[in-house]
Amino acid sequence: MRIAAVGDLHCHEGGAEVFRYALADINTRADVLVLCGDLTYRGRIAEIEAVIEELAEVMVPVIAVLGNHAYHEKNQRRFHDLLEDAGIQVLDGESTVLDIRGHSVGFTGTKGFAGGFGRRALTDFGEDLWRRFFKAARHEGEKIRHGLAQLDSELKIVVLHYAPVTDTLTGEDPQIYPFLGGSELGAAIDDGGADLALHGHAHFGREAGFTPGGVPVRNVSHSLVNQAYRLFEVDWPRK
Ligand SMILES: [Fe+2]
Ligand SMILES: [Fe+2]
């Protein structure tokens, strides 16, 4: 199974013809395109319309999550609807199963959230503001846990914007790790079991890592993969 994946396109108003050109070969190279959030620069409607325009010739199924930039001008709901109207499936805790050459491939995804990692992660303690922050991070983890529980497919892929582990943050300033993702996401992936987790958001991180439970994690931030998308070949599980 060939998954094309990219995040953080950060498309400006008016679009960037470069994406359309660079995505032209995707129909023959990949079975599915996964978009890991931050499709736009400022979260403007004109920007997401440009993204949709850029994707017009992609004929393989497209699965997306939104990133934090989609929220900046409070257009996240519109983004969701415009993308879905264009035939792009936007995951926010839902799960979906594609039939790819006779095999079932399940996807679940959500934006995710910040909160930090391991012993340094934010806890449910103190001022209400911090506790709401913690609950928002936990809620994103619960979406993944729930989404994975719904899947009974041969392969299970988790799609995120925020990072579930620190492995793929290496290269970023460690002081911003807590704002780039959180352990709640990694723990949910391990609890539910998955074959691959994809994320973006960490523009200057590293591509490859693992959850504590050994699930491969890939950061597909556009600046990092340094091409239109990263192509993954995932083996079908042996029956
Ligand atoms: Fe980004
Ligand atoms: Fe982001």
Side-chain angles (χ1 to χ4, degrees), residues 73-93:
E73 295 202 358
K74 299 185 169 59
N75 284 324
Q76 63 271 20
R77 194 66 236 171
R78 288 282 311 281
F79 272 35
H80 178 281
D81 293 346
L82 287 167
L83 288 164
E84 292 259 334
D85 287 349
I88 295 162
Q89 187 156 14
V90 183
L91 299 176
D92 182 19

Side-chain angles (χ1 to χ4, degrees), residues 1-2 29-31 98-105 233 236:
M1 215 261 292
R2 301 161 306 167
R29 294 188 72 206
D31 297 303
L98 298 180
D99 183 325
I100 296 178
R101 287 183 271 133
H103 293 271
S104 58
V105 184
E233 304 231 359
W236 303 111

Side-chain angles (χ1 to χ4, degrees), residues 100-124:
I100 296 178
R101 287 183 271 133
H103 293 271
S104 58
V105 184
F107 294 84
T108 189
T110 182
K111 173 178 63 65
F113 197 43
F117 297 89
R119 287 173 51 235
R120 303 300 184 203
L122 192 62
T123 57
D124 189 13

Side-chain angles (χ1 to χ4, degrees), residues 10 19 22 30-31 59 68 72 96 117-118 127 135 142 173 178 184 186 205 213 218 226:
H10 290 294
F19 291 125
D31 297 303
M59 296 301 154
N68 54 312
H72 184 64
T96 188
F117 297 89
E127 297 97 314
K135 284 189 177 73
E142 290 303 326
D173 184 338
E184 293 289 333
R218 296 291 181 269
N226 205 21

